[in-house]
Amino acid sequence: MAKKESSTKSFVLRIDTDTMDAIEKWAADEFRSTNGQLQWIIAEALKKSGRLKKSKSGKSKTDEEDV
């Protein structure tokens, strides 16, 4: 049986307490989980830098997965 490839990857992120506190508050203000907020922040930075690959529909992958 072939292993199905996941659309997400897990990894450990070390972050200082003050930064994490700010992200957690921001996430709460936006009604997102902390993980969802981090994904959104990263996706926005990638969009602004032009580093996301476009899909056939013309949208970036994270446009289709917005939280």
Side-chain angles (χ1 to χ4, degrees), residues 13-60:
L13 174 65
R14 291 175 185 87
I15 191 164
D16 67 86
T17 304
D18 291 338
T19 301
M20 191 63 185
D21 290 345
I23 291 168
E24 288 171 340
K25 181 174 182 337
W26 189 6
D29 291 346
E30 299 286 327
F31 303 104
R32 291 189 178 108
S33 66
T34 302
N35 186 68
Q37 188 69 19
L38 286 166
Q39 289 177 325
W40 180 83
I41 291 167
I42 293 166
E44 287 298 304
L46 289 169
K47 284 180 204 175
K48 287 179 184 176
S49 69
R51 294 180 181 268
L52 280 182
K53 293 180 183 177
K54 299 287 183 179
S55 67
K56 290 180 182 178
S57 68
K59 290 185 174 183
S60 64

